[in-house]
Amino acid sequence: MDEQELIRQLQMGSREAFDRIYELYHVQAYRTAVFLTGSRMDAEDIVQDAFVQVYLHAKELKQPAGFKSWFYRILTRLAWKCGRKGKREIPDEDIAVRADRADEGDCLSRLLGKEEQERIRRAVKDLDEKHRSIVVLYYYNEFSTAQIARITGCLEGTVKSRLHTARKKLEKSLADEDTGKKHGGSITARVRKNDIPDRSGI
């Protein structure tokens, strides 16, 4: 059964369809919520609330094909609301890791790769809410700028502008941290190196 059929069944009140949609989305939804709020505990609550809203309001979705953007709009707005309540505290573990790199390279290379991932994670964490959200949705969730515009309620041109500004801020943050080091390279190249797809062609 494809995803759109699952959505149609969910709209008819199928609990089984809801459970399958939850299994499809909850892991990445949790990672996204942690990035946006900086709190694992808050992220768990946000994901639960988002899925409750999905179950209660699924019938309001006019096109099943638009479910993913609709779901992340709910999740993102809940995360924004929660994130404004207090200071973000990013957990120590690297939730951004999207692939197991244990079989690639020697031990030193893996350690250096993890160090770079942590540096990028810190830089993303230090972005303001509107720029951090764009980066997380674009690089970590692989949404197009048009999809992000629907999720955030912005014009696509605004999304592109914020993405450009976020890249510049990340490059500056990493460059400042690179003083006396030889990492170099653009943020797109460095993000790509660390298991986030190169999606610079906007």
Side-chain angles (χ1 to χ4, degrees), residues 66-125:
F67 175 81
K68 187 175 182 181
S69 294
W70 179 69
F71 171 74
Y72 274 94
R73 182 163 61 249
I74 293 171
L75 182 78
T76 300
R77 290 178 179 177
L78 286 170
W80 285 347
K81 183 177 179 180
C82 179
R84 292 176 183 135
K85 292 180 180 178
K87 184 178 179 181
R88 291 173 288 114
E89 295 180 358
I90 299 295
D92 291 335
E93 75 269 20
D94 186 0
I95 60 160
V97 175
R98 299 184 54 188
D100 184 2
R101 296 171 59 90
D103 59 345
E104 295 185 24
D106 57 25
C107 181
L108 178 60
S109 296
R110 293 198 299 274
L111 288 173
L112 291 174
K114 289 182 179 180
E115 179 184 349
E116 183 73 352
Q117 290 171 358
E118 175 64 17
R119 284 156 50 80
I120 292 174
R121 184 191 64 80
R122 288 198 303 268
V124 171
K125 181 253 313 185

Side-chain angles (χ1 to χ4, degrees), residues 136-155:
V136 171
L137 292 170
Y138 187 80
Y139 283 110
Y140 292 90
N141 294 89
E142 301 186 52
F143 283 109
S144 68
T145 54
Q147 289 173 316
I148 295 172
R150 290 194 293 271
I151 290 168
T152 59
C154 297
L155 296 174

